[in-house]
Amino acid sequence: MASNVGGERYRVVFSDVTNFIQSMMAQQANWVITEGKLKKGSIVRLKSFQSQEVKGKPIIVVMEVEVLEQYGECEKIGLPVALEITPKAEATTQQAVKEQPGSISSNNFYGQKAQQPTPQATSRTLPSRPNNTGSTGSHGNIYPIEALSPYAHKWTIKARCTHKSDVKTWHNKNGEGKLFSVNLLDDSGEIRATGFKESVDQWYDVLVEGGVYYISSPCRVQLAKKQFTNLNNDYELTFERDTVIEKAEDQDNVPQVRFNFTNIADLNNVEKDTTIDTIGILHSIGEVSEITSKTTSKPYSKRELTLVDNTGFNVRLTIWGATATTFDAPVESVVAFKGVKVSDFGGRSLSLLSSGSMSIDPDIDEAHKLKGWYDAQGRNDTYQSHANTMGTSMATSGGKRDEYKTIAQIRDENLGMSENVDYFTLKATIIYVKQDSFSYPACLSEDCNKKVVETDPGQWRCEKCDKTHPRPEYRYIMSVSVSDHTGQLWLSCFDDVGRSIMGMTADELMALKEEGEEKKVSDAFAEANCKSMVWRCRARMDNFQDQQRVRYQVASAAPMSFPVEAAKLAELIKQYDLNSDSLFVR
């Protein structure tokens, strides 16, 4: 099925010999398809699913399915017909038939087309279901979170609030406001919901972490802003004025929290700044310390924890604020973290985000397995840190960070096309620098560099620092076209590299432009052309206007050193056997 923002959706048709029905696989069940276990004709056991009605047609959303591989794949069994919606009293006996939908015809797998249903059969409603699955008398049809989309109307979800943010405020030239967000969870998945302005006053005190609620439309379903959430859902919710939220009497039949764990050894393969879930044994606990923010001058409490797991690795994890000061879990507890950020400080380290959470000794299989392993042998094991492996990993990766490439090799080897970041060094000459947008107004606060907005003349506001400055500091953000003897490439450069290219700061160049010195500005760009430099770059896949492309970002650049380049050529010449007639490299 089409999915607008990442993730995959699969539609499957199931038959029990008598009837067939459309179904949608929840993302947590996709593995049976992607690993090739679920095939056409497979015999399966549906272990967890929810029934729904969409546009008068019954469907099921499958959360868990077991493929009985011992039975292989059959051609077909019987001549099943479409399952029709029936009243509760007749649900077990009365079935209507209709033509199988063309979109799920499966090459006529289910036999010949059946008769058209009677008009009365299509207007009936689904049978009532217990509160935790289908419909609830007063709340109508309960949708699984996985099935929500902008095309769903008049829906109700029953979900647990697993996280609630603090109220945040903003100020800009368009006004001011406040917002908060919650993460909602049911058997099928998770989704983020945000309330703005009046919704904060209306719902912030109503929604409590751990509580289960019925949430009913009108409530806007829109594409998720992935920069603000790490949940695995294409969509997010926005509370509206008439959104209905009620606390559910039954608080038990909704899962507590869902994890997607990364073990500690695999952190070396996780890209910096990625948000993950992890679980480990609490090996040591540091004391609470206090740091002062350079941007806001506010003090923050922090505590460092050390986790180990059965992969033989340990990792340092930092918790902040009230979580750090109130932390009281004993050493050797099992701790599960949801929403931690990966850093490359000290090889690999973790930091619990403000939107993250942790569970002490959770009642889940992964926790029980870890505890059993630790009691049996882990208590006496020694553990390796990622700081000890970074040099080795760089050496065994072929020295990618320092590997020289030509532009043709960069394209031929598809650098940046994989999930991982590729590093390379390039010797190339500048042939053009884009002049229409070469800088941005940045915050004056130390180590901030965020873009500021001019709210009034002489008033430049930074949302991150919550400060207003009389002027900005302009910083370079440039696109440069470079060339070598094999081709041409566009590179993205930031402030430090821009200063090396232009020979002046962005503030100085903007001052010339604002003073009307167009010739001096043009001369500065002309002077940058034809400079030969050594570029250390990283290539990665990027999304731009809903299209994927490879972005080549410059980490550093320096003018070409001819003595250094000559020494490299001399080393290369030594690889040739000059005492024979052959010029093959040894």
Side-chain angles (χ1 to χ4, degrees), residues 190-384:
E190 294 177 273
I191 196 167
R192 180 175 183 261
T194 304
F196 293 90
K197 297 184 177 180
E198 293 84 359
S199 294
V200 178
D201 300 327
Q202 187 175 9
W203 300 121
Y204 186 79
D205 293 331
V206 172
L207 294 167
V208 178
E209 284 190 11
V212 178
Y213 302 89
Y214 293 107
I215 301 175
S216 304
S217 58
C219 184
R220 193 188 328 148
V221 184
Q222 60 192 19
L223 290 176
K225 298 179 179 65
K226 291 298 185 178
Q227 66 269 35
F228 300 124
T229 177
N230 61 309
L231 298 184
N232 186 23
N233 199 316
D234 291 351
Y235 301 107
E236 63 184 16
L237 304 178
T238 300
F239 297 136
E240 297 185 343
R241 180 178 301 174
D242 297 324
T243 299
V244 178
I245 301 178
E246 300 175 66
K247 189 171 184 179
E249 294 181 4
D250 179 8
Q251 297 277 308
D252 298 326
N253 292 322
V254 176
Q256 295 290 332
V257 67
R258 178 172 286 110
F259 296 97
N260 183 20
F261 291 124
T262 298
N263 64 49
I264 298 176
D266 287 342
L267 292 177
N268 208 24
N269 302 319
V270 177
E271 188 178 343
K272 176 180 177 289
D273 295 332
T274 301
T275 302
I276 64 162
D277 305 338
T278 195
I279 187 172
I281 299 290
L282 188 57
H283 199 247
S284 65
I285 305 171
E287 296 294 328
V288 176
S289 60
E290 193 171 89
I291 63 171
T292 302
S293 170
K294 293 182 180 179
T295 56
T296 63
S297 299
K298 294 180 179 178
Y300 290 95
S301 299
K302 59 176 284 192
R303 188 195 294 266
E304 292 185 351
L305 314 175
T306 301
L307 300 180
V308 300
D309 69 5
N310 54 6
T311 63
F313 278 79
N314 64 34
V315 69
R316 189 182 74 252
L317 189 150
T318 305
I319 55 178
W320 302 88
T323 304
T325 56
T326 60
F327 185 82
D328 59 356
V331 171
E332 299 188 352
S333 300
V334 179
V335 189
F337 292 90
K338 184 172 184 64
V340 293
K341 186 177 181 179
V342 179
S343 167
D344 59 1
F345 182 76
R348 281 293 184 269
S349 57
L350 303 174
S351 178
L352 181 63
L353 299 173
S354 60
S355 59
S357 61
M358 64 180 177
S359 301
I360 311 297
D361 292 324
D363 186 15
I364 56 177
D365 290 343
E366 293 87 348
H368 298 314
K369 291 176 182 177
L370 266 182
K371 189 64 174 176
W373 157 80
Y374 190 78
D375 290 340
Q377 69 177 76
R379 185 175 285 108
N380 301 316
D381 284 353
T382 57
Y383 299 94
Q384 186 177 5

Side-chain angles (χ1 to χ4, degrees), residues 56-72:
K57 300 175 183 178
I59 69 165
I60 57 175
V61 179
V62 178
M63 267 74 74
E64 185 178 3
V65 58
E66 178 185 0
V67 180
L68 307 179
E69 296 179 277
Q70 64 268 33
Y71 298 114

